[in-house]
Amino acid sequence: MSAVTQDGHTMDLLRFATAGSVDDGKSTLIGRLLLDSKSIFEDQLESVEATSASKGYDYTDLALLTDGLRSEREQGITIDVAYRYFATPSRKFIIADTPGHVQYTRNMVTGASTADLGLVLVDARQGLTEQSRRHAVILSLLRVPHLVLAVNKMDLVDFSEDVYNKIHAEFTSFATKLSIPDLQIIPISALQGDNVVTRSENTPWYSGPTLMHHLEHVHVASDRDLVDVRFPVQYVVRPKSDEHHDYRGYGGMVAGGILKPGDEVIVLPSGMTSKIQGIDLFDKEVAEAFPPMSVTVRLEDDVDVSRGDMIARVNNAPTPSQDIDAMVCWMTNEPLRPRQKLAIKHTTRTARALVKDVQYRLDVNSLHRDQDTKELGLNEIGRVQLRTTVPLLCDPYSKNRTTGSFILIDEATGVTVGAGMINNAS
């Protein structure tokens, strides 16, 4: 993924989500990444060192760097997923620190839904747990293209190659059942820094990259769909000023493909065709636009375009669909049941939806499909059939994570109650 600056330059950005059980060392690892990438201030480090000393520790407790987030969470200020930002000379990073407990599955789905990479921590002493497997399954369901299994606390098992190999073999075998295109397994000690940023002398038997090297160099640009043009229109831009008296553009974020001036396009659902006259980024024109750039597209013809419409290529457009087959993560206490009516938000379009059927509930630990259950409870994931009041312009989630996803909203309260990944639509 690339972020685009105001001067039109792109800078490499990696979004990654961390997942692990409570004591697997996530806070310490994030603290170590922030410290060793020089992303914290000296006074922050001094404060952490002083607090560690006052608690009688003979080491600097890097978890304290993120503990502010935990106390905020306890006060109900942050919404369960905490985001951290840091950068190295070669890349910028956004970390989504997601909770590990099963009752926070919905929060993990939220944090990982936009991630390029999932980082699952396991405690070398415990090996793979039910939670480790569940985290991997959720990341696989969300089609997170890159997965790192960080075998942490290697210092507590004397950097044993046998312990690492056992976990490596067990997880690799489990991962064959999942959709994980790229898997890296790295032995680390977040507390001591082994193989986090610098290569460890304690693991001469490990020849792979350090965690930071992998995060800096994992190739994510090709994960985006650059073939199928998808541009959901967010708003119509009409300044109506003397300077831009006749200006009319369509603003939004490119969800797929590459847009260029002169391209013949179709506007859906109307089916009207035109050509791209120009593409504006901030106050300048650009030669092309690609995911995830937010731009304003101008068309040669004065066609009727409004929010919720989609601009695509003439011979490669999504089929408007009202019957949606999707995997849904349910996010509220009141169960999801057949005949239920909800609002659905897909890209920039909002409609109403009727739950036609709950086909099965997925056990995210065993991958068993429970077809006897006809409802989904809080934090459960299952396959659901929906019928929408207006056609949605969607793709399978496996093809495009933007046009293949949606959220479900309780019409009475306006609260998001579900997140969906489209299998197919008709």
Side-chain angles (χ1 to χ4, degrees), residues 81-93:
V81 182
Y83 293 92
R84 279 280 173 160
Y85 306 85
F86 74 100
T88 65
S90 57
R91 194 171 243 175
K92 291 184 182 294
F93 300 91

Side-chain angles (χ1 to χ4, degrees), residues 189-203:
S189 167
L191 185 65
Q192 299 183 2
D194 295 83
N195 292 332
V196 178
V197 174
T198 52
R199 180 167 289 285
S200 173
E201 294 177 1
N202 294 312
T203 54

